[in-house]
Amino acid sequence: MNLDSTPTALEQPCETRCRNRRMTIGLPRCEDPAERRFPLTPEGVALLTERGFSVKMQEDAAATIHYDDARYIHAGVEIVPRTETLGCDIVIYPATLSETDARCMRRGAMLLTLLRSACANERVIRCLLERHVIAIALDLVEDERGCTPFADILAEIDGRASIAIASSLLADSQKGKGILLGGVAGIVPCETLIIGSGIAACAAARSAVGLGATVRMFDNDIYSLRRASQELGPGVITSALHPRTLENALRSADVVVATPVASPFALHTDAVARMKRGVLTFDLTPAADGSAFPSMTPVDLALASAVDASLHTDNRICYVHAGSAVARTAAMALTNTLLTLMESIVTCEGPSNALKLHPGMQKATLTFFGKPVNPQIAHALRMRSVDISIFLTLS
């Protein structure tokens, strides 16, 4: 019998596993001058790299929001050629891809974009189908409550930006009227007319009321108007879209903001003719092409040169892409929402699994396994839309 009580060291089994490849995110530089919004700030990139993503960005991609490459490099970004950013697992690109860019994407990769951008070019869509790219429209992504966080935050920015820009243009003594939107004691404030009562409309109304303007809101959805009235308080005058009431309001309005409404609505030549000279009009509808004011010339707020030129013309104009004029604010808002989406993807161990487990992402999917799974995309291709749940069940 061994009386020695000295413990003997023994080898212990150690759990080992193979290290998974880091999922890559590509951030190409936007080639469309009308799209200045960049999807990620350096702070957001730093959080993504901490969570295991590898982020690759094209040189000067964030110049539109006034961040240099050094800030991103410090956050863990790798600066690479454009083709390498397009070859990542997930590519974030709010504007419309070119056909060349679409062919550079890795087979089976995920593209995060906006619905309007995705539908803009039929040839690009067909290239994405050939590459079996999973294209997702960020503005269609829903959360657990059925809300659309990306679309909602962009709409709120559009609404607030339109009033901020209107106030600046009205106060310009050289190119504008040299007046305050809210006026002062003894001077009647400017009138702001808002069509619609959704998120963009409420954001615009809240900003206008805060500046002291008289605000009138019109919509053909009484229940939506009631919700907006309860939210905004008595400072906003609400009304149904009655032709005579709207006509009277248009005659005295200094700012007119058109936002989405339940039924299609547009102000045509006869209505525009009743507006006062120098009225500022903004089109915040999803098309963002001036279709809310068909007789007016659209002016893109993302292009400073176009805005400067518009101030010297006697033609009736309307401003579009208000959110792109405050691109850095949009970038910060997009970053906050993208972090939540990316967390879902990494938790599910890949884009395909994330689609299976998150119905809100399924509804936002445009193309999957080389087939169009969104009705608008299918219509653009003159094809039949396929139910994505069929592919997810079989995969």
Side-chain angles (χ1 to χ4, degrees), residues 64-326:
T64 53
I65 58 172
H66 305 289
Y67 279 121
D68 57 24
D69 292 344
R71 292 287 299 274
Y72 284 89
I73 293 172
H74 183 71
V77 166
E78 181 183 357
I79 303 299
V80 298
R82 183 178 185 83
T83 53
E84 194 167 339
T85 63
L86 292 166
C88 290
D89 301 315
I90 301 173
V91 177
I92 310 176
Y93 195 74
T96 303
L97 280 175
S98 68
E99 191 173 351
T100 303
D101 288 343
R103 296 190 184 281
C104 290
M105 291 196 64
R106 185 178 63 79
R107 187 176 180 83
M110 174 178 281
L111 171 66
L112 300 180
T113 185
L114 299 175
L115 179 61
R116 177 173 55 86
S117 302
C119 296
N121 191 313
E122 179 183 340
R123 290 186 177 180
V124 172
I125 301 174
R126 294 190 181 278
C127 287
L128 296 177
L129 293 177
E130 292 174 5
R131 304 295 300 164
H132 282 212
V133 171
I134 304 172
I136 293 181
L138 291 173
D139 44 341
L140 297 183
V141 173
E142 295 183 3
D143 60 15
E144 295 80 4
R145 295 166 293 181
C147 300
T148 51
F150 288 94
D152 292 350
I153 192 63
L154 292 178
E156 184 176 359
I157 291 171
D158 284 345
R160 288 194 175 273
S162 64
I163 299 302
I165 294 166
S167 177
S168 176
L169 292 175
L170 286 172
D172 192 321
S173 60
Q174 300 297 323
K175 302 172 183 177
K177 292 183 176 181
I179 60 176
L180 291 173
L181 184 65
V184 293
I187 300 176
V188 177
C190 292
E191 292 188 17
T192 300
L193 189 157
I194 300 173
I195 298 172
S197 54
I199 291 178
C202 288
R206 192 176 290 108
S207 293
V209 169
L211 291 172
T214 299
V215 181
R216 302 179 188 275
M217 179 179 286
F218 290 80
D219 201 345
N220 46 18
D221 186 337
I222 301 302
Y223 287 97
S224 180
L225 270 179
R226 181 179 291 114
R227 288 192 298 269
S229 180
Q230 292 171 348
E231 178 184 341
L232 298 169
V236 176
I237 304 166
T238 61
S239 172
L241 275 170
H242 188 280
R244 183 169 295 180
T245 306
L246 179 61
E247 178 182 329
N248 292 334
L250 285 171
R251 293 181 187 278
S252 57
D254 298 282
V255 180
V256 178
V257 181
T259 68
V261 292
S263 301
F265 183 85
L267 294 174
H268 295 280
T269 306
D270 54 344
V272 170
R274 298 186 182 97
M275 297 183 187
K276 64 168 63 174
R277 183 180 177 84
V279 63
L280 299 175
T281 58
F282 295 83
D283 181 3
L284 306 185
T285 56
D289 58 359
S291 55
F293 305 93
S295 63
M296 292 188 176
T297 303
V299 174
D300 199 327
L301 286 166
L303 307 174
S305 58
V307 177
D308 292 340
S310 71
L311 299 174
H312 301 285
T313 181
D314 294 328
N315 297 329
R316 295 277 193 175
I317 60 173
C318 75
Y319 294 105
V320 299
H321 294 148
S324 289
V326 288

Side-chain angles (χ1 to χ4, degrees), residues 354-366:
L355 289 178
K356 293 179 182 179
L357 299 176
H358 293 278
M361 289 182 64
Q362 295 178 25
K363 296 178 180 179
T365 306
L366 308 178

Side-chain angles (χ1 to χ4, degrees), residues 48 51 53 338-348 358:
L48 288 175
R51 295 175 186 179
F53 288 97
L338 273 169
L339 288 175
T340 303
L341 181 65
M342 291 301 176
E343 183 68 28
S344 299
I345 292 175
V346 74
T347 302
C348 298
H358 293 278

